[in-house]
Amino acid sequence: MTKHISKLLAVAGLAVLALLIVALLPLFAEAEEIVPQSRTEMELSFAPLVKQTSPSVVNVYTQKRVTSRVSPMEQFFSGGVAPRERVQNSLGSGVIVGADGVIVTNNHVVEGAESFRVVLSDRREYPAELVLADERTDLAVLKIDTNGAKLPTLPYADTRASQVGDLVLAIGNPFGIGQTVTSGILSATARTDVGISDYAFFLQTDAAVNPGNSGGALINTKGELVGVNTAIFSRSGGSNGIGFAIPAEMVKRVVNAAINEGSFVRPWLGLAGQAVSYDMAKAQGLDRPIGVMVTEVYDDGPADRAGLRRGDLVTDIDGREVFDEKGLKFLAAIKSPGETTELTLLRGGKQMTKKVKLAPPPGATEADVVLLDGQNVFSGARVVELSPRLAEENGLDPFQKGSGIYVHSVLRRSVARGYFRPGDIIRSVNGVQTKSVKDLKALLKPDTHTWNIELERNGHMIQGTVTL
């Protein structure tokens, strides 16, 4: 009898132990990250990760000629010396994304430069060719000739999986002191109100980023490129723990466009929108502000053809939440024209989805710019017809009302230089609306010496009469 009781107690004990283990399993599952418990754990290092990834980060050196102004006093005492010309050097960082020598960096690193030089981590140097520079995304693509040698590259991370709190490393050349690695975390994602770019959707990090880090790599613990470091928030010029990086998905899109297409054409949704306030969200029956309220739909544009309307509330694009128009534009721009994106929206309190086939904005581009000449007030002005595509290329409002001629640039020492500025929109001449460059040219008759001009400058209408 005693023997049977012992067996029953043993079985009961095992059952209790099994129940206890089952009860504690969730706690073990949640404890994936623990505080170091030993000296060995405390001595864990990023060194193997840095050794693997740092050869893919390079230094980018640029040169351009600048002319120094000579003061009136210097001209007087030197007998009218000509302005001095000197070579200005600058530096930044870059990331090798193609084993055949394709390197991505920031546009502001190479902007205005005439020659480029890339120095690898092992001190090999190569002259570089600028393949593409895009001011709107602040990205540029360089190419070096390695004579067939394969270079180490960084793979692109899927930043949709990136979360606030993820460990990251920033690799670059701050202040030109040499390759430097700093560590931190992702402190925010989808930053759109940074004021750097109208295609802003930045990753924010507290890893130290300083001047010279621009164009360098922000990597995760898998050794993948999370983003390209591009800016810092600082009043002193040094790192204050708030740095911004362009997400890898936009980097990949620009690099692919540069290598395969030769230019970067942003796809267009054909809609304008505004962020949702608390009161707007409440009116829509939402418990919090989310999404973008559609305020304009371009006739026969992608959104119009997909059936979107003014007043629709777009909450997601391809399953990713949006909170303002910049985020919406960014997530559309990481796709190519011709691809389809799916918008989730609320209309009259009902949720629905619309598939939008992306397309380039319509109309004239910078390739259609025309130089005006002759004996007239417009001589020396380079102009083009105002269009949604031109507006997108120059950061203008593609939905602005009225037609006109956009002044792209003005030649120095020209007649037009005294009257027009780049960015002016010529609305009418001598009472005739200027809808096309052809219309404007027809008004430039040799026997005309007086022009009554109506133009828009910085959002203000200006009207005046010029006589030559």
Side-chain angles (χ1 to χ4, degrees):
M1 183 69 178
T2 305
K3 191 174 182 181
H4 288 298
I5 292 173
S6 298
K7 284 184 178 180
L8 288 172
L9 289 173
V11 171
L14 288 172
V16 171
L17 180 61
L19 288 173
L20 184 61
I21 291 173
V22 170
L24 292 175
L25 274 176
L27 297 178
F28 291 132
E30 291 176 4
E32 293 177 357
E33 297 181 5
I34 59 174
V35 174
Q37 301 295 317
S38 66
R39 181 179 182 85
T40 302
E41 290 181 358
M42 293 179 68
E43 290 177 349
L44 291 175
S45 170
F46 285 120
L49 179 63
V50 173
K51 185 177 181 180
Q52 170 195 337
T53 57
S54 60
S56 300
V57 182
V58 303
N59 298 337
V60 177
Y61 295 89
T62 65
Q63 286 188 336
K64 64 179 177 181
R65 292 185 182 87
V66 294
T67 302
S68 302
R69 288 188 174 184
V70 179
S71 69
M73 184 172 291
E74 286 179 307
Q75 286 185 326
F76 177 79
F77 285 107
S78 61
V81 67
R84 292 186 292 269
E85 188 176 77
R86 61 185 176 86
V87 175
Q88 185 180 71
N89 298 298
S90 62
L91 63 89
S93 304
V95 184
I96 305 172
V97 290
D100 58 346
V102 178
I103 295 163
V104 66
T105 184
N106 283 136
N107 175 72
H108 70 260
V109 169
V110 302
E111 191 172 22
E114 298 167 1
S115 63
F116 314 93
R117 184 165 51 94
V118 168
V119 180
L120 306 187
S121 62
D122 61 8
R123 299 190 178 183
R124 282 181 290 171
E125 296 188 18
Y126 296 92
E129 172 193 0
L130 181 63
V131 180
L132 183 146
D134 186 73
E135 183 180 2
R136 305 285 300 286
T137 58
D138 196 21
L139 288 171
V141 178
L142 299 171
K143 182 76 164 60
I144 61 176
D145 183 2
T146 63
N147 293 318
K150 297 297 182 183
L151 300 180
T153 64
L154 286 182
Y156 298 105
D158 183 354
T159 53
R160 291 175 298 180
S162 297
Q163 300 182 58
V164 175
D166 284 352
L167 283 170
V168 289
L169 301 181
I171 309 176
N173 182 16
F175 302 110
I177 61 175
Q179 191 175 88
T180 302
V181 181
T182 55
S183 66
I185 62 170
L186 285 183
S187 44
T189 60
R191 287 292 197 212
T192 57
D193 284 330
V194 180
I196 302 169
S197 163
D198 55 353
Y199 278 85
F201 202 73
F202 294 104
L203 300 171
Q204 182 180 317
T205 180
D206 67 346
V209 175
N210 287 290
N213 270 109
S214 290
L218 188 71
I219 65 169
N220 59 21
T221 52
K222 297 178 183 178
E224 298 169 329
L225 181 67
V226 174
V228 168
N229 298 316
T230 190
I232 58 174
F233 184 85
S234 174
R235 291 186 174 89
S236 64
S239 175
N240 284 343
I242 300 180
F244 300 102
I246 301 168
E249 51 205 335
M250 178 58 83
V251 177
K252 183 178 180 180
R253 170 76 179 92
V254 172
V255 170
N256 288 343
I259 300 306
N260 300 319
E261 303 160 26
S263 63
F264 177 50
V265 178
R266 297 168 189 79
W268 195 49
L269 285 168
L271 62 80
Q274 67 178 76
V276 176
S277 65
Y278 177 76
D279 291 336
M280 291 169 66
K282 192 174 180 181
Q284 291 285 331
L286 302 173
D287 60 355
R288 62 189 174 98
I290 186 176
V292 177
M293 183 70 71
V294 177
T295 57
E296 297 282 351
V297 178
Y298 194 84
D299 289 342
D300 200 33
D304 186 33
R305 291 193 291 269
L308 273 83
R309 307 173 190 168
R310 292 180 64 181
D312 285 345
L313 179 61
V314 179
T315 59
D316 299 76
I317 176 169
D318 293 326
R320 302 174 71 173
E321 287 187 341
V322 290
F323 298 94
D324 55 27
E325 189 181 16
K326 287 182 179 179
L328 186 64
K329 287 171 65 177
F330 175 91
L331 293 174
I334 62 177
K335 291 199 166 187
S336 300
E339 290 190 273
T340 298
T341 188
E342 186 174 270
L343 302 184
T344 303
L345 56 92
L346 293 174
R347 179 185 292 170
K350 294 182 179 179
Q351 186 176 16
M352 60 183 68
T353 59
K354 297 287 184 181
K355 291 188 176 182
V356 182
K357 187 176 181 179
L358 301 170
T365 71
E366 291 191 2
D368 300 305
V369 171
V370 174
L371 175 62
L372 300 177
D373 55 14
Q375 300 297 316
N376 59 74
V377 71
F378 298 97
S379 182
R382 300 177 74 239
V383 299
V384 64
E385 293 165 20
L386 195 60
S387 70
R389 186 158 181 178
L390 181 80
E392 284 285 324
E393 289 178 351
N394 290 275
L396 305 174
D397 178 11
F399 289 88
Q400 57 183 306
K401 304 301 181 183
S403 57
I405 303 300
Y406 179 74
V407 179
H408 180 271
S409 57
V410 184
L411 299 182
R412 292 183 179 181
R413 299 185 181 87
S414 66
V415 177
R417 185 80 171 183
Y419 303 98
F420 303 103
R421 300 177 188 172
D424 286 350
I425 301 172
I426 302 167
R427 297 294 187 185
S428 69
V429 177
N430 292 340
V432 179
Q433 272 195 334
T434 49
K435 298 181 179 179
S436 66
V437 174
K438 185 178 179 181
D439 292 341
L440 180 56
K441 281 187 169 182
L443 299 169
L444 306 183
K445 300 175 182 178
D447 57 345
T448 303
H449 303 287
T450 300
W451 291 270
N452 189 303
I453 302 168
E454 184 182 29
L455 60 82
E456 182 179 334
R457 177 178 293 167
N458 298 326
H460 301 286
M461 296 303 297
I462 301 174
Q463 190 169 6
T465 301
V466 178
T467 303
L468 293 182

